[in-house]
Amino acid sequence: MQRKIKSLIAKTELNIDLNEQLFFKNEKSRKKIINEIEAFRQEISALAMMIEGLYLSGVVDKSTIHIARRRQAVFRRKIANIEVQIGQKKLLLEQNEKEKEALVQKKKDLRKKIDKYDYIVKYLRQKKRFKELSIEEADTEEKLSWK
């Protein structure tokens, strides 16, 4: 019985190791997503600065205004596209966070299993010890009764 329990403990410990590997992979993915979001934000900031640089001052002709407005529209479209990408990355981040919570819960559950198995092993050892003591005590009483 104890061998079976020890094999269950070993299997559970293996599952904990695999769970930890998934947890670290999840954390690496989370950091990558956060870095990508930050890069997108920096790109938006740079595009916004470019838009501001296109505002005209002084006397300009109609074609210059038209060119500047087209460029501003292009930059605004790029910003809108990047904001959509940021939204997608935030959804990935939320999904990543849910996976992380599930992994943490699974680790807790596996730890509880190991604790339960350890308790069973201790209980069986104690039961065996008490049985051996009672046998020894019975042998001692039998020897004393023969004298």
Side-chain angles (χ1 to χ4, degrees), residues 29-133:
S29 173
R30 182 181 157 276
K31 288 178 183 178
K32 180 182 175 189
I33 292 169
I34 289 173
N35 289 338
E36 288 173 353
I37 289 173
E38 185 59 33
F40 285 144
R41 287 189 176 141
Q42 289 175 358
E43 192 173 344
I44 286 174
S45 176
L47 289 170
M49 289 174 56
M50 293 173 92
I51 289 172
E52 284 183 30
L54 289 175
Y55 283 113
L56 304 172
S57 59
V59 179
V60 289
D61 62 351
K62 201 173 187 181
S63 65
T64 308
I65 293 172
H66 183 66
I67 291 171
R69 285 192 179 178
R70 269 194 299 167
R71 287 183 182 164
Q72 288 174 346
V74 168
F75 291 146
R76 284 190 183 104
R77 259 195 315 269
K78 284 183 181 180
I79 288 173
N81 288 339
I82 292 170
E83 287 174 346
V84 168
Q85 289 176 334
I86 287 174
Q88 291 171 344
K89 293 295 179 181
K90 284 184 179 181
L91 288 175
L92 284 174
L93 199 58
E94 288 175 16
Q95 180 183 1
N96 186 282
E97 192 63 34
K98 287 178 185 175
E99 289 173 4
K100 180 180 174 182
E101 290 171 8
L103 289 170
V104 168
Q105 185 60 44
K106 185 174 180 182
K107 184 177 180 179
K108 286 179 185 178
D109 293 344
L110 290 171
R111 284 281 167 211
K112 284 181 184 178
K113 266 188 177 182
I114 287 182
D115 291 343
K116 180 177 76 172
Y117 295 148
D118 285 340
Y119 174 77
I120 291 171
V121 167
K122 287 177 187 177
Y123 173 77
L124 291 174
R125 281 185 196 149
Q126 187 179 26
K127 188 176 176 182
K128 183 180 176 184
R129 215 175 315 133
F130 285 141
K131 187 176 181 182
E132 288 172 354
L133 284 174

